[in-house]
Every structure is written in C-alpha cells, then in structure tokens.
Amino acid sequence: MAENVETKTEEAPKKGKNKFLLIILLAVLILGGGGFFAFNTFFVHKEGEKTEKKKEEKKLNVEKTYLFALDPFVVNLAEHGRFLKATIQLEYDDPKQEEIIKQKTPILRDSIITLISSKSVDSISGPEGKIQLKDEILLRVNQIIGKDFFRNVYFSEFVMQ
C-alpha cells in the first residue's frame, strides 16, 4: 500500500508541469499571432503605400521633363579637313527656367563648339567616345546655367565627315 501512494504522488507533479507548458505554449502562439497581425496591419501597408508613392513620383518626373533643342552644330574637328554635324537637345525639369536658357544659348553654343572642335575623330567615333562627349557637354552646360540643372544630353543627329 505504501508503494501505491508513492507512485501517485510522483504522477501529480508531471500533470502540473504539462498544464504549465501547455499554457506557456498557448500564450506564445497567441502573442505571436497577434504580433504578426499587428505587423501586417500597421507596418506593411505603410511601406506599400510609400513604394506606390515613389513609383507615382517617378512617373511624374518622367512626364515633367522638357527638351531644349539647340540649332545644329557644324564644327571643324581637331584633325584638318574633318567635320562634325550634330544636333543636340538638353533635358531639364523646370519650364520656368526656359527664358534663362534662351538668354544663355549663345554662351552654351560657344562652350559646346569649343569642346567639340578640340576632339579628334578617333576620340568620338566609338560609343564610349560619344558617351564621354555627352558627359563633358552636360558638365559644361550645367556649369553655365547652374548646378545639376540639365539632366541629360541627347544627340538627335551626329554625322562625321
């Protein structure tokens, strides 16, 4: 009889431990589920809205760019007897500044003519040379008008002879 009593007392603490572990497990699951719900409800949508706003702003920026076309350039290159005819367009954002661009057009043209006439056929005949020439033109025109005013330079015509 004494043995039976001892075995019953050993089983009672195990049931208490199991209940305690079950309660802790349920609490962790409930808190985890609640945290997941709160995260999805309050944080994910805000980030999604931010990315949508950024996408809309990028679309608007593409729509808000303007091109200023310069008259075609016919320039002697550094090599004797070699010519370049190029038509250049400058991309910018602010249409209010177009009057300033028109006023500074002679200065812009002079700077571009000076730059192009210093180039050789070999330096601008390849794609890398054209990209470098675009970068140099962009740097010069931004120095004349203002820092980072123009976004890009486009060649709509580029003929060498």
Side-chain angles (χ1 to χ4, degrees):
M1 235 189 196
E3 290 178 11
N4 288 340
V5 173
E6 289 178 15
T7 56
K8 288 182 181 179
T9 56
E10 289 177 10
E11 290 178 15
K14 286 185 181 179
K15 287 183 182 179
K17 283 185 180 179
N18 287 341
K19 286 184 181 179
F20 181 71
L21 288 175
L22 184 61
I23 291 171
I24 289 176
L25 181 63
L26 286 174
V28 167
L29 288 175
I30 290 171
L31 290 174
F36 179 76
F37 175 77
F39 177 77
N40 283 338
T41 303
F42 298 112
F43 297 110
V44 173
H45 294 295
K46 288 182 181 178
E47 290 177 11
E49 290 173 3
K50 287 180 184 176
T51 56
E52 287 177 16
K53 287 180 182 178
K54 288 180 182 178
K55 287 179 184 177
E56 289 177 15
E57 288 175 4
K58 286 182 181 179
K59 287 179 185 176
L60 292 175
N61 285 341
V62 170
E63 294 172 6
K64 289 185 178 181
T65 59
Y66 303 92
L67 292 175
F68 186 80
L70 295 169
D71 291 334
F73 294 88
V74 178
V75 179
N76 292 325
L77 294 174
E79 299 167 1
H80 183 68
R82 301 303 298 253
F83 301 96
L84 172 70
K85 180 180 181 185
T87 304
I88 297 173
Q89 295 186 4
L90 305 170
E91 180 182 18
Y92 63 101
D93 293 332
D94 191 3
K96 297 174 186 174
Q97 302 294 331
E98 187 170 355
E99 190 61 36
I100 295 172
I101 298 171
K102 287 180 181 178
Q103 290 174 356
K104 297 208 178 200
T105 299
I107 300 168
L108 293 171
R109 287 186 58 82
D110 177 65
S111 178
I112 293 170
I113 289 170
T114 305
L115 175 66
I116 294 174
S117 64
S118 69
K119 299 292 182 180
S120 67
V121 173
D122 293 335
S123 67
I124 59 174
S125 61
E128 297 88 15
K130 288 179 182 73
I131 292 171
Q132 183 179 358
L133 181 61
K134 280 183 170 186
D135 291 341
E136 290 175 10
I137 290 172
L138 186 63
L139 179 67
R140 286 193 180 205
V141 296
N142 275 330
Q143 287 175 347
I144 293 168
I145 298 291
K147 185 176 181 182
D148 296 333
F149 179 79
F150 293 108
R151 293 176 128 203
N152 205 347
V153 174
Y154 298 105
F155 292 124
S156 53
E157 185 177 31
F158 197 89
V159 180
M160 285 188 289
Q161 181 181 349

